[in-house]
């Protein structure tokens, strides 16, 4: 299926640190490959692709009336956030990574750790606090809605809103509202933050699933929230998720637009992606009804943005006629 690409698939897969690749066209598997001891039963972490799942759960809560409006302040659902930057931010602001909170997604550790580094170490490594606890009383860097600033803390706040608005744990919402309706073929799991018994699902970076189930999530996005005849996500929600605003990032950063916890990663018309650290991608190309999932193992310092060799290969696959 991948014959005729600019380089051989094996060379490209090795050069882009591929663990597994799946290509769907019109909902059917047209290519599937596992490498590095992975197989169809091996769960793989999605890192920040988990953020896109969080946006799906927000849309469902909105549709059910558990969240009244995206323009509600997050403090309506989490009063502890009333003081500080998040007190003025709406759910929409946070979905768009425009909360205005003073945090930089830079993981410096050692004697002078960055705030993101301290959160990571305290919540995930030492399990001493919840990830979202650090949002309480945080300083403001800009007016809510004014400036794009990618921050996993924003998504952790969305998880807190979900739990308070629904009265349910995120992992239970995921199982009941997404995983079962999706028709997933395997179990999945979240990493957790905070102390045992009181932490929450790490909804900004911690979801793990098998390759085909990542593909099912992408296919649901392509099919505008439907799985077969069932409308799993609210009508119009995927369109909202994939409506991009300019990030204002440098042109060479590779991320020209951001929607609701989704990325524009190239200039293919209407294409968008869930993106995770170390080369995780669920890429949706509506024009050709193609979904591509790539699970990867990039070194600790991956290329800025999404690897250009990956994106050019994805575009070639999407444009390739299928038999």
């Amino acid at each position: 299926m991948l014959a005729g690409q600019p380089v051989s698939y094996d060379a490209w897969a090795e050069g882009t640190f591929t663990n597994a690749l799946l290509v769907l066209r019109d909902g059917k598997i047209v290519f599937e490959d596992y490498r590095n001891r992975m197989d169809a039963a091996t769960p793989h972490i999605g890192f920040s692709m988990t953020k896109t799942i969080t946006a799906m759960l927000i849309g469902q809560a909105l549709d059910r009336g558990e969240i009244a409006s995206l323009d509600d302040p997050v403090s309506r659902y989490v009063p502890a956030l009333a003081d500080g930057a998040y007190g003025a931010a709406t759910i929409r602001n946070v979905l768009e990574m425009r909360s205005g909170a003073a945090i930089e997604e830079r993981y410096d550790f050692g004697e002078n750790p960055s705030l993101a580094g301290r959160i990571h170490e305290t919540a995930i490594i030492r399990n001493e606090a919840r990830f979202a606890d650090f949002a309480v009383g945080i300083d403001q860097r800009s007016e809510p809605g004014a400036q794009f600033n990618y921050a996993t803390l924003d998504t952790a706040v969305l998880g807190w809103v979900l739990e308070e608005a629904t009265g349910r744990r995120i992992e239970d919402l995921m199982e009941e509202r997404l995983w079962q309706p999706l028709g997933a073929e395997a179990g999945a799991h979240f990493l957790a933050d905070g102390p045992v018994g009181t932490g929450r699902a790490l909804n900004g970076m911690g979801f793990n699933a098998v390759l085909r189930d990542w593909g099912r999530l992408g296919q649901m996005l392509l099919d505008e929230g439907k799985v077969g005849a069932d409308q799993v996500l609210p009508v119009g929600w995927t369109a909202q998720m994939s409506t991009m605003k300019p990030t204002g990032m440098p042109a060479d950063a590779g991320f020209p637009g951001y929607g609701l916890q989704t990325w524009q990663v190239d200039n293919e018309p209407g294409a968008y992606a869930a993106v995770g650290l170390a080369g995780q991608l669920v890429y949706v190309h509506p024009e050709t009804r193609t979904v591509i999932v790539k699970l990867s193992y990039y070194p600790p310092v991956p290329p800025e943005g999404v690897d250009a060799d990956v994106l050019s290969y994805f575009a070639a696959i999407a444009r390739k006629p299928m038999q």
Side-chain angles (χ1 to χ4, degrees), residues 162-177:
L162 270 171
E163 290 195 342
E164 295 299 323
T166 65
R168 306 280 303 281
R169 297 173 67 88
I170 292 170
E171 57 268 32
D172 296 333
L173 295 173
M174 180 65 181
E175 174 69 22
E176 177 187 312
R177 299 183 180 182

Side-chain angles (χ1 to χ4, degrees), residues 42-61:
T42 309
H44 196 292
I45 192 166
F47 289 115
S48 287
M49 294 200 299
T50 313
K51 293 177 170 69
T52 306
I53 293 170
T54 297
M56 295 179 186
L57 294 172
I58 290 281
Q60 290 174 322

Side-chain angles (χ1 to χ4, degrees), residues 15 55 115 174 205 242:
L115 176 56
M174 180 65 181
M205 63 171 71
S242 58

Side-chain angles (χ1 to χ4, degrees), residues 27-311:
K28 297 179 180 178
I29 296 175
V30 294
F31 186 81
E32 185 174 14
D33 178 52
Y34 298 93
R35 313 171 81 84
N36 304 319
R37 300 186 181 181
M38 274 195 69
D39 61 28
T42 309
H44 196 292
I45 192 166
F47 289 115
S48 287
M49 294 200 299
T50 313
K51 293 177 170 69
T52 306
I53 293 170
T54 297
M56 295 179 186
L57 294 172
I58 290 281
Q60 290 174 322
L62 180 68
D63 189 56
R64 290 167 178 255
E66 295 158 338
I67 291 173
S69 170
L70 294 186
D71 296 315
D72 284 343
V74 296
S75 58
R76 171 174 175 175
Y77 303 91
V78 187
L81 294 174
D83 295 328
Y86 287 103
T90 67
I91 295 171
R92 189 186 308 276
N93 296 150
V94 182
L95 279 166
E96 294 177 346
M97 294 290 184
R98 295 172 183 268
S99 68
I103 184 170
E104 185 176 352
E105 193 81 350
R106 195 188 75 246
Y107 290 91
D108 298 336
F109 299 97
E111 292 184 2
N112 296 297
S114 61
L115 176 56
R118 286 195 290 112
I119 296 172
H120 185 91
E121 184 173 348
T122 305
I124 303 173
I125 297 175
R126 298 204 307 264
N127 299 122
E128 293 175 351
R130 290 178 166 183
F131 200 105
D133 288 348
F134 288 83
V136 176
I138 193 171
D139 290 340
Q140 191 176 63
R141 61 179 281 167
S142 62
E143 288 298 312
Q147 185 180 71
F148 175 79
N149 179 49
Y150 182 81
T152 298
L153 187 59
D154 278 14
T155 311
V157 165
L158 292 174
W160 200 351
V161 168
L162 270 171
E163 290 195 342
E164 295 299 323
T166 65
R168 306 280 303 281
R169 297 173 67 88
I170 292 170
E171 57 268 32
D172 296 333
L173 295 173
M174 180 65 181
E175 174 69 22
E176 177 187 312
R177 299 183 180 182
L178 282 178
W179 217 237
Q180 292 182 14
L182 193 67
E185 68 181 57
H189 64 277
F190 285 95
L191 302 181
D193 65 5
V196 174
T198 63
R200 63 166 52 86
L202 194 59
N203 70 293
M205 63 171 71
F207 192 66
N208 297 255
V210 301
L211 178 68
R212 290 182 187 175
D213 286 339
W214 282 115
R216 286 181 170 89
L217 286 166
Q219 187 65 39
M220 181 171 62
L221 289 171
L222 178 65
D223 289 338
E224 299 179 352
K226 297 184 79 172
V227 177
D230 297 329
Q231 191 73 48
V232 177
L233 301 180
V235 173
W237 185 245
T238 58
Q240 290 189 61
M241 288 178 63
S242 58
T243 298
M244 300 296 162
K245 289 185 176 181
T247 62
M249 297 170 71
D252 60 358
F255 289 124
Y258 198 78
L260 305 184
Q261 307 286 293
T262 65
W263 289 99
Q264 178 188 355
V265 293
D266 59 19
N267 293 316
E268 289 291 302
Y272 60 97
V275 181
L277 180 72
Q280 321 315 319
L281 286 158
V282 174
Y283 178 81
V284 180
H285 195 278
E287 183 178 338
T288 61
R289 291 200 49 79
T290 303
V291 174
I292 305 172
V293 182
K294 186 178 189 296
L295 304 176
S296 311
Y297 65 101
Y298 271 90
V301 183
E304 291 295 323
V306 178
D307 191 330
D309 289 340
V310 169
L311 293 178

